[in-house]
Amino acid sequence: MSTSVFPLPPSSAALDEEAARAELYGLLAQLYYAAPGAALLSALRGAPTGAPQAGDCLQEPWQQLVDAARALSDAAIAQEFAHLFGGVGKPALYLYGSHYLSGFLNEKPLARLRGDLDRMGLARAEAIPETEDHIACLCEAMRYLIAGDDPAVCTLGAQRNFFTTHLQPWVRPLCDALQAHPLAHFYCALARFTRAFMAVETQGFEMFDGA
């Protein structure tokens, strides 16, 4: 089901908890990048509604996301994605960090992000039309930093620095916008889960800072 923006190695020595984090970032990347296909929605509808990783704070928003997938048809979810993020010209909602950080697309936050990605040896695949500050690309980069097998790049410190610089400052305003939009149903539930997961990540990195 994965359509990676950045390539992952075929195997990883990550612990189960780290693998779960990587999988959740991968799921978010897929759901924000494009309208989910039938296989992904089928898997989501059949998913257990217990918390996908340790932490009761994820259980309720995860159940709401699964329930939303079950309540809506594939076509309705695809139409919702198109209404919110597609169309010709300005979309109803932007999924790009530069928009939330500077008020404009393709601004200094994107240039800084590209510099950081270049230093980590990561680059946007040529087939990907979205700029690197799209939330799907950022989630895919986090997935790589968690599950990749390059010990010089894939460290907890690198995860923390990337998250606190390129995701944490703007993911809450994105979730606010999604939850407030009258056409968002499935993506309102996704925003609630995203908010909860990012809060868990923030807490974890704060604990790492204090170590």
Side-chain angles (χ1 to χ4, degrees), residues 7 14 28 34 46 62 90-91 105 115 129 142 170 186 210:
L28 292 177
W62 176 254
K90 181 180 178 180
L105 299 179
M142 282 296 297
W170 68 277
F186 175 80

Side-chain angles (χ1 to χ4, degrees), residues 11 25 50 60 71 79 83-84 89 100 104 143 149 165 172 183:
S11 62
Y25 274 114
E60 182 177 355
Q79 186 176 49
H83 285 327
L84 293 172
Y100 295 92
F104 301 94
R143 185 169 80 108
D149 63 355
T165 301
R172 177 175 286 186
L183 295 180

Side-chain angles (χ1 to χ4, degrees), residues 80-157:
E80 184 178 323
F81 184 94
H83 285 327
L84 293 172
F85 313 122
V88 177
K90 181 180 178 180
L93 290 172
Y94 284 111
L95 294 172
Y96 302 93
S98 290
H99 169 75
Y100 295 92
L101 294 172
S102 70
F104 301 94
L105 299 179
N106 302 318
E107 284 291 319
K108 290 181 180 179
L110 176 58
R112 181 180 181 184
L113 169 63
R114 285 173 170 165
D116 287 346
L117 291 172
D118 184 65
R119 282 186 286 274
M120 292 187 294
L122 298 176
R124 177 170 57 92
E126 292 183 3
I128 302 300
E130 309 295 350
T131 53
E132 293 88 341
D133 61 336
H134 191 287
I135 189 171
C137 297
L138 295 173
C139 287
E140 197 63 29
M142 282 296 297
R143 185 169 80 108
Y144 179 83
L145 291 175
I146 295 166
D149 63 355
D150 184 347
V153 173
C154 303
T155 67
L156 188 56

